[in-house]
Amino acid sequence: MPQINKSRARNAEPGAPTDLSRLRITLTVFFALDGFIFAGWVVRIPAIKEQTGASASTLGLALLGVSAGAVVTMMLTGRLCRRYGSHQVTVVCAVLLSLSVSLPPLTHSALALGLVLLLFGAAYGSLNVAFNSAAVDLVNALRRPVMPSFHAAFSLGGMTGAGLGALVAGALSPVRHLLGLTLIGLLVTALAGRALLRVQPPAPPHDTPHGKSAPRRLDARTRGLVLTFGLIALCTAYGEGALADWSALHLEQDLRVTPGVAAVGYSCFALAMTVGRLTGTILLERLGQTRTLVSGGATAAVGMLLGALAPSLWAALLGFVITGLGLANLFPVAVERAGTLAGPDGVAIASTLGYGGMLLGPPAIGFMADWFSLPAALTSVAVLAATAAAISFATRRAATR
């Protein structure tokens, strides 16, 4: 009997195996919810573009609101996490995201859409910083490179949200569809948030996985490494944002498919991201971070050239799949490594730079689409994916010291 009581006492302590497992499940739910809501929004972009009468360039500027709102609030969210705790901030931001997704279909001009997307982007970016900070702490406590599994949940949520959007595109208006996402988001947040607030964050470990040193102060060398991983995240997020914002429009406009079929493009991309991230832990354990980053960037570059320039639907979908597999683990590895190096400050810096890629992507692709064509504009994703691979290779020695 005394032995049983000791076991219960151990499990009741913050950071005990039972607490870590419960925390991992709960954070996974929030990652999935984030992807589900975001994908539900992006598959309705063509319909909202038609509703607002926006051109490709003005739509790009309106879509800039998502990334602008995210980037502006990310550093603030890092400070809020340090003051109130990443778990509490995660719950609040999930509520705000669920509410704000219902606003875009209520707009009838590009200006109004852009203003509404500022709110949506602020909630989206803040939620990402909050649960990524919580996930980095958990990864270090578990001492395994499981960060890709959380982002796999995001991708699975995105695939589900995009698939649902494809099914209801012809049956439900954007207003009813996105209002439904609001109700689902609030319900899931009420259930998962209660569980998250009951679990205390794991205590910072003395050592991080693989013998690396614990998070340290942001001296010049550490800040340089964090910025390097943030730049990799930027190149990756540019590609993810491009596929989210422009893949459906590319298939519908350039390959002449129906809106329902066009929504499948992002679903294929999200499925590939999910598969790549589900296998990410094994890949990292076998190849290491540098080889994973280099091979992923090169694969994504090849895939995006096919997805952007292919003359047929099936070839374009194959290109999206290859791109998703290549990009899958770049962002989670970059953010996790930055967080391991510099704690919450590292997560905030890398996330801000990463979502700066989404800030750059929508208007850049919109303007390039007007100047040249949308397929030509999408090849910029391949250029930045190759750049991420080159940076990872060039800094391989400094990043492992």
Side-chain angles (χ1 to χ4, degrees), residues 340-356:
T340 299
L341 284 169
D345 289 334
V347 174
I349 292 172
S351 296
T352 301
L353 283 172
Y355 286 95

Side-chain angles (χ1 to χ4, degrees), residues 2 5-6 39 48 52 56 87 113 140 148 194 238 248 299 306 316 338 383 387:
N5 290 335
K6 288 180 181 179
I48 294 175
T52 59
H87 292 186
L113 178 62
N140 288 334
R194 185 178 180 183
Y238 180 98
T299 300
L306 176 62
V383 173
T387 300

Side-chain angles (χ1 to χ4, degrees), residues 191-369:
L191 297 174
R194 185 178 180 183
L196 181 62
L197 294 177
R198 286 180 173 179
V199 180
Q200 295 184 15
H206 296 293
D207 300 291
T208 55
H210 315 298
K212 301 275 194 313
S213 59
R216 53 185 183 263
R217 303 172 90 181
L218 276 175
D219 56 24
R221 180 178 178 278
T222 302
R223 183 178 294 274
L225 289 175
V226 169
L227 290 174
T228 296
F229 284 108
L231 186 57
I232 294 171
L234 183 151
C235 294
T236 305
Y238 180 98
E240 292 188 49
L243 269 296
D245 290 347
W246 297 101
S247 61
L249 190 61
H250 167 55
L251 295 180
E252 185 177 340
Q253 172 182 291
D254 299 310
L255 299 184
R256 307 298 181 184
V257 302
T258 64
V261 174
V264 174
Y266 183 72
S267 184
C268 289
F269 173 75
L271 175 60
M273 293 278 284
T274 304
V275 172
R277 287 171 172 175
L278 285 173
T279 59
T281 297
I282 297 175
L283 194 66
L284 284 166
E285 289 176 337
R286 292 184 177 179
L287 298 182
Q289 290 179 345
T290 297
R291 290 182 181 178
T292 299
L293 292 172
V294 172
S295 61
T299 300
V302 173
M304 197 61 235
L305 287 176
L306 176 62
L309 303 178
S312 67
L313 171 65
W314 296 110
L317 293 179
L318 176 61
F320 291 164
V321 168
I322 296 172
T323 304
L325 291 173
L327 293 179
N329 296 304
L330 271 64
F331 191 89
V333 169
V335 171
E336 186 272 330
R337 191 68 188 98
T340 299
L341 284 169
D345 289 334
V347 174
I349 292 172
S351 296
T352 301
L353 283 172
Y355 286 95
M358 290 188 180
L359 181 70
L360 174 66
I365 290 179
F367 281 116
M368 285 189 288

Side-chain angles (χ1 to χ4, degrees), residues 39-56:
W41 141 248
V42 299
V43 298
R44 301 314 297 255
I45 288 176
I48 294 175
K49 176 181 182 294
E50 181 178 353
Q51 175 180 302
T52 59
S55 66

Side-chain angles (χ1 to χ4, degrees), residues 54-71:
S55 66
S57 58
T58 55
L59 176 64
L61 289 174
L63 294 175
L64 178 65
V66 177
S67 298
V71 169

